[in-house]
Structures are given as structure tokens and as C-alpha cells.
Amino acid sequence: MSFLEILVLLLIAGICGGLAQALCGYSRGGCLISIVIGFIGAFLGTWLARLAELPEMFAITIGDTTFPILWSIIGGALFAAIIGFITQRPSK
């Protein structure tokens, strides 16, 4: 995997993580947190899709790596919602 392919994967994961955060209302952190949520969402969403025997939809292939866009957003939203429930902001 080349350096350019890694940068493209990080960009796609960041966009998916940002969309996932926007869907569930969790907005702590910046670009790095969005990238992490995008990658964790891809693993979580793909795992849930395989359990439910759902097809891999809207996947992007970069080099030898396939990144599932839809399952990354869904899994990232689930992950961000769980993190949002665990780390609730203190009331003022």
C-alpha cells in the first residue's frame, strides 16, 4: 500500500466518521477523532452486516483494500452514540 493510498483511506474514513458523528449528535474532537470513528465504524458496521448476512454496499477499493462506506457510517454512528452515552457532558 502506497503513501497516497493511505492518505486517501484516511480522508474517506474522516468523512465517514464526521457523517457518523453528525447523525448521532456526538461532536467531541476534530479530524483525528473523525478518522478513528470512521475506521472503528467500518469494523463494527462490517461485522454487524456479516452477522445479519447483508451485502457490502457502497464499497470503495483503493489498492488492495476495500473500504465499506455505508457500513462505516452506520457503525460509526453506533459507536459514537455509545461513546456519547458513556461520556455525558456534565450539566451546568
Side-chain angles (χ1 to χ4, degrees):
M1 182 175 270
S2 70
F3 182 70
L4 182 62
E5 291 171 348
I6 291 172
L7 286 179
V8 170
L9 277 175
L10 290 175
L11 177 70
I12 293 169
I15 292 170
C16 291
L19 288 172
Q21 286 180 352
L23 283 174
C24 71
Y26 178 80
S27 63
R28 288 189 184 170
C31 289
L32 292 177
I33 299 300
S34 294
I35 291 170
V36 170
I37 288 177
F39 275 117
I40 292 174
F43 289 121
L44 180 64
T46 303
W47 177 70
L48 290 172
R50 286 184 184 151
L51 282 177
E53 298 179 1
L54 296 172
E56 191 171 293
M57 299 185 310
F58 301 115
I60 292 179
T61 303
I62 300 167
D64 296 335
T65 307
T66 302
F67 192 83
I69 300 292
L70 181 66
W71 300 125
S72 176
I73 294 171
I74 292 171
L78 289 172
F79 180 69
I82 291 169
I83 296 297
F85 285 130
I86 291 173
T87 61
Q88 292 183 358
R89 296 180 182 162
S91 59
K92 294 181 181 182

